[in-house]
Amino acid sequence: MTKFAYFEGAIRPIEEAKVSVMTHAFNYGTGWFGGLRGYWNAEQEQLYVFRIRDHYLRFLDSGKILMANVDETVDDLIRATVDLLQREGYREDCYIRPLGYKADAMIGVRLHNLHDRITIFTTPFGRYIEDEEGARVCVSSWRRVDDTALPPRGKIVGSYVNSALIKSEAVLNGFDEALVLNHDGHVAEGSAENFFIVRGDSLITPPIHANVLEGITRRTIVELARRELGLNVVEREIDRSEVYVADEAFFCGTGVQVVAIASVDHRPIGSGKMGQITNRLRDLYFRVVRGQEPKYAHWLTPVHQSEAVTA
Ligand code: PMP
């Protein structure tokens, strides 16, 4: 159970972290957010937050798109998060949700001349997709929001209606997740995950300008694939039919972590089971985030007895 939140500049009991129904962001979707994970390492008795600085840099960038003017710096947000997690005292995996919002209690759609606030709360968190070893996926009948209408490179509250439409359609039709096409008709990503395919020795993912989120896990996978597996990583457009003939496919994201895709539109991907490259990347990812790969310790912020100075 969540006990605390960072709210109006301080850590307070969660019951006190409340906003009015008149709040601008509640009425118009004028908020932005982030999503981070804390990983519990039982052997080391340590909770590690993965790539906290990169997440908060993207969080502040999302705010920039909404003309946000906030008091907190990246370092303030890192400190507040570590403080919050220490107070919650988690000894298990958890999720961290920073949320920025236009806080004025007023009617009037706009971005300028409004007051921005940041809140952060955390919650214990396990799996996101039940079958992590082989998700059944469809192509959504919805299209991804476009940079010309509602920029998907940042995490803007209102644009998650697009994600909710995509996810509910998929699940209610019996699938685990959906791939969504952008307005050019190329594959963008999942409802809340970036997307990769494997063809031969190449790992391929859509470029950011294909209307995908600037995913931190996506960046992590690209680096691990190049450095540790020596794969040729290519950012380029992917057609729907290219997914059908790919050797492997997977989703990645903070929530979903790395999830193999077993089928798309009822067509098995590769053997229909988790492929070798996905398996290797997935194992490596889990070792890195849980603090079992010293080489990547710079991506981890230890929460307990921490000065919160790491990246
Ligand atoms: N795409 C979308 C639309 C998302 O909401 C997320 C989850 N934040 C991702 C991709 C994955 O991003 P990240 O790896 O930074 O969590």
Side-chain angles (χ1 to χ4, degrees), residues 92-157:
E92 61 188 311
D93 294 352
C94 61
Y95 189 82
I96 301 143
R97 167 55 48 79
L99 175 65
Y101 56 101
K102 301 279 174 193
D104 303 67
M106 53 100 52
I107 295 295
V109 186
R110 62 170 194 262
L111 292 175
H112 61 286
N113 292 348
L114 292 169
H115 297 88
D116 300 285
R117 295 279 179 274
I118 290 175
T119 183
I120 310 172
F121 61 89
T122 66
T123 180
F125 204 65
R127 284 175 184 229
Y128 185 87
I129 285 187
E130 259 326 300
D131 194 351
E132 292 186 339
E133 308 209 345
R136 295 182 60 248
V137 172
C138 60
V139 171
S140 182
S141 69
W142 297 96
R143 292 289 173 109
R144 192 83 188 115
V145 283
D146 191 87
D147 193 65
T148 56
L150 223 180
R153 80 171 52 242
K155 284 177 80 75
I156 293 172
V157 170

Side-chain angles (χ1 to χ4, degrees), residues 58 144 155 160 189 191-194 213 215-217 253-254:
R58 185 186 64 197
R144 192 83 188 115
K155 284 177 80 75
Y160 278 73
E189 55 186 338
S191 67
E193 309 88 19
N194 288 111
L213 182 78
I216 310 289
T217 319
T254 300

